[in-house]
Amino acid sequence: GSLVEHLCSHPAFKMLTLKSAPQVQTKALDFTEFKWTTILKWLRQMLIVSSNLDETLDWGVKIDSGSSINRVHCKSMGNFLVLRGRAALDAEVSAFADKALYPSWATDPLKVMCSERRFLGHEMFATVVSNSQASIVPMRKVLNKAYSMFDEKAYVHHYERCGLSYGDMEYAFGNIEDIIAKYSSL
């Protein structure tokens, strides 16, 4: 099947996020050396803590059941991991296949593509496209702002001129709340 069918195999889950590592300025590439183990460790932590920056990772969040730290990690419905650069075909990606990253009902949640070709001048570069709980935080922010604007009747007259009613807008807010609830239940 297609990549979209793999990542969005359930009709209730259609939000995708993108995370990449390493995140290095082009000027610094000549002075930087990376290994696949390091890059994939950063990327996996970005995935489980729902961070877009490798510099602000919370390394205290673990997914192993024996961890004394009991923080919730971000679950994924499906992931597509892309590795580009030197020795990409030999990189160890089993940490992304860990069943604890996925809900129990997810079947074949990880797809991997590797290429020896460089990406954007990076000797090694990894990206993960994920259908995960990472979309919850931005959706909540947008929904809260939309509710605030709606409560103040900001721009409502524009929508009414286009045929949308208060009920239509409340229905749309409800749909977003349902999506957030479904992702929260992963």
Side-chain angles (χ1 to χ4, degrees), residues 68-109:
S68 61
I69 299 168
N70 191 17
R71 291 185 224 163
V72 178
H73 68 278
C74 182
K75 284 211 173 201
S76 300
M77 224 193 90
N79 290 318
F80 179 58
L81 180 62
V82 180
L83 307 179
R84 299 270 309 258
R86 179 178 48 82
L89 298 169
D90 300 323
E92 176 56 51
V93 298
S94 62
F96 286 86
D98 186 342
K99 294 202 181 292
L101 287 171
Y102 308 99
S104 59
W105 48 264
T107 58
D108 193 28

Side-chain angles (χ1 to χ4, degrees), residues 68-164:
S68 61
I69 299 168
N70 191 17
R71 291 185 224 163
V72 178
H73 68 278
C74 182
K75 284 211 173 201
S76 300
M77 224 193 90
N79 290 318
F80 179 58
L81 180 62
V82 180
L83 307 179
R84 299 270 309 258
R86 179 178 48 82
L89 298 169
D90 300 323
E92 176 56 51
V93 298
S94 62
F96 286 86
D98 186 342
K99 294 202 181 292
L101 287 171
Y102 308 99
S104 59
W105 48 264
T107 58
D108 193 28
L110 177 65
K111 299 282 185 202
V112 180
M113 185 197 88
C114 299
S115 171
E116 297 284 328
R117 295 186 68 180
R118 287 178 162 219
F119 182 71
L120 297 176
H122 289 74
E123 188 175 338
M124 298 175 173
F125 197 82
T127 299
V128 64
V129 180
S130 182
N131 188 344
S132 71
Q133 292 174 321
S135 59
I136 293 173
V137 171
M139 278 194 292
R140 277 194 182 131
K141 284 181 183 177
V142 169
L143 185 61
N144 288 339
K145 183 166 183 152
Y147 270 133
S148 294
M149 293 174 69
F150 185 67
D151 289 345
E152 297 298 323
K153 296 181 178 39
Y155 303 105
V156 172
H157 63 283
H158 291 293
Y159 292 109
E160 288 175 335
R161 273 196 311 224
C162 294
L164 290 174

